[in-house]
Amino acid sequence: MGGVEDDEPASKRMKLSSEELRRLSNGSTIKEPVAGSSRDLMARPLQSEGGEEVVGSKGVIKKVEFVRIIAKALYSLGYIKSGAHLEEESGIPLHSSVVNVFMRQILEGNWDESVVTLRNIGLTDERTVKSASFLILEQKFFELLDEEKAMDALNTLRTEIAPLGVNDSRVRELSSYIVSPSYCSLTRSPKQDTVRARSRSKLLEELQKLLPATVMVPEGRLEHLVEQALVLQRDACMFHNSLDKEMSLYSDHQCGRDQIPSQALQVRLCSAYQI
C-alpha cells in the first residue's frame, strides 16, 4: 500500500524489540544476530564474565551474589513472602539446603545435630569449624545450666567443649559457673559474652559473623553497600554543603556552586580605636 514491503516475519521483528527492551533494562549489548523463538530470546542469560552471569554496565556485579543480597535485605525488612518469591522465581536460593537445616537446628536447640551438620556445610578452615562448634556447645552448656542439669552441663564441658582446644580461658570461666552458679548471675552483663540466657537467634547472628559470607550472607550487607556508595559520593563532592539526610538514592550526589554561601549575613564594624 504505497510502501516497501517488509520480508521479515512479524515474529522476528518482535524478537528484536524484546531484545532491545531487555538490553535497556540490564545494560547489556547485542553482540550477535537474534535467532530462535521469542521465548528462547527472553530466556537468554545475562552477559557473563568468566563463566558467571553478571549485571550492570561494568560487568563487575555477579548476578547470584546480587540476587542473594537482595533476598537477604527483603527478609531483614520483614518482607518474607517477597523474599521467598524472589528465591523461587530467580532459582537462586539465599542459602543452600544444608545451611537451612543448620539454621533450623540452631533455632530449635538441636545442638548435637547442628554440630554434625556444621561439618557438612563444606568449610575448609578447621579453625572456623572449631570456633563455630564452640559457640554452639557453649549455648548448649548454658541452657543445661538454666534447666538445672549441672551434671549434663559438666559432661558437655569436659567431653565436648574442652577437647576443641579453643579459648582455654573461656573454658575455665565456664567451669566456674558449675562450681558457683551464683558467680554467673553476679558477673554476667548484657554487653558480655557471658550472658547465660543468650537467645538462639543471637547465637545465629554470631555464627553468621564467623562463617564465610559465601555460606551465610552477612546481615545488613545491602544497606552497607548503599551507605558506602553514598559516603563516597559525599566525600568526592567538591562543593559539598548539604545535610546527609538530603542525599537521595535516586541520583548521584553533587552539590552545585550555588549552594556555597556568597552573601554575608552580618557585618562587624570596627572603630579606629579597636584597630
Side-chain angles (χ1 to χ4, degrees):
M1 297 294 294
V4 179
E5 292 186 2
D6 191 347
D7 294 331
E8 285 188 324
S11 60
K12 188 171 183 179
R13 293 197 302 271
M14 179 188 68
K15 287 182 299 215
L16 181 58
S17 177
S18 299
E19 172 63 12
E20 289 173 343
L21 290 174
R22 190 173 68 83
R23 173 169 54 86
L24 292 173
S25 66
N26 61 35
S28 63
T29 57
I30 302 175
K31 297 184 179 180
E32 57 185 5
V34 178
S37 66
S38 59
R39 181 181 180 86
D40 292 336
L41 175 64
M42 297 306 293
R44 286 178 60 189
L46 302 176
Q47 58 177 322
S48 61
E49 184 73 23
E52 288 190 88
E53 294 182 14
V54 295
V55 296
S57 60
K58 306 298 183 182
V60 297
I61 304 175
K62 297 180 179 65
K63 177 186 175 183
V64 171
E65 295 181 356
F66 190 59
V67 172
R68 290 182 67 198
I69 287 176
I70 293 175
K72 178 66 176 180
L74 288 173
Y75 284 124
S76 298
L77 291 171
Y79 303 132
I80 308 302
K81 292 182 180 179
S82 298
H85 185 73
L86 176 58
E87 289 190 69
E88 180 181 359
E89 186 174 13
S90 66
I92 300 174
L94 175 58
H95 299 120
S96 67
S97 57
V98 178
V99 173
N100 283 330
V101 170
F102 174 71
M103 295 171 65
R104 184 170 63 252
Q105 289 171 338
I106 292 295
L107 294 176
E108 294 176 353
N110 298 325
W111 311 121
D112 297 338
E113 293 87 343
S114 65
V115 171
V116 174
T117 304
L118 176 65
R119 291 193 168 275
N120 295 328
I121 290 178
L123 301 176
T124 57
D125 189 349
E126 184 64 20
R127 291 175 300 178
T128 299
V129 174
K130 288 186 175 182
S131 297
S133 298
F134 187 95
L135 291 177
I136 295 171
L137 295 173
E138 183 184 52
Q139 180 71 17
K140 175 184 178 181
F141 172 84
F142 281 131
E143 292 198 11
L144 287 172
L145 284 183
D146 287 339
E147 297 169 4
E148 299 183 353
K149 298 179 179 179
M151 293 306 298
D152 290 339
L154 178 60
N155 184 61
T156 295
L157 183 62
R158 285 178 174 176
T159 64
E160 298 179 79
I161 298 179
L164 291 173
V166 176
N167 200 345
D168 291 339
S169 61
R170 178 62 170 166
V171 173
R172 290 191 293 271
E173 186 178 358
L174 294 177
S175 65
S176 66
Y177 297 153
I178 297 178
V179 176
S180 179
S182 60
Y183 174 77
C184 178
S185 60
L186 290 174
T187 59
R188 61 192 176 96
S189 165
K191 295 183 180 180
Q192 296 176 336
D193 289 338
T194 55
V195 179
R196 184 172 64 181
R198 179 180 54 191
S199 68
R200 294 171 182 177
S201 59
K202 178 64 177 177
L203 169 62
L204 200 56
E205 291 178 9
E206 293 181 10
L207 290 170
Q208 193 173 52
K209 296 175 183 177
L210 183 62
L211 299 178
T214 53
V215 174
M216 297 180 70
V217 178
E219 189 70 34
R221 181 58 182 167
L222 180 60
E223 293 89 331
H224 171 74
L225 291 174
V226 174
E227 287 177 344
Q228 188 179 60
L230 290 176
V231 170
L232 288 174
Q233 290 179 24
R234 181 193 63 192
D235 293 345
C237 182
M238 183 178 298
F239 305 110
H240 186 69
N241 187 35
S242 61
L243 300 176
D244 287 349
K245 65 180 182 180
E246 296 177 358
M247 299 180 69
S248 173
L249 297 179
Y250 295 129
S251 60
D252 292 343
H253 175 75
Q254 185 175 6
C255 295
R257 291 177 178 270
D258 57 328
Q259 292 181 255
I260 300 178
S262 58
Q263 294 181 346
L265 298 179
Q266 185 176 5
V267 178
R268 181 180 180 182
L269 300 177
C270 299
S271 64
Y273 177 78
Q274 289 176 317
I275 296 176

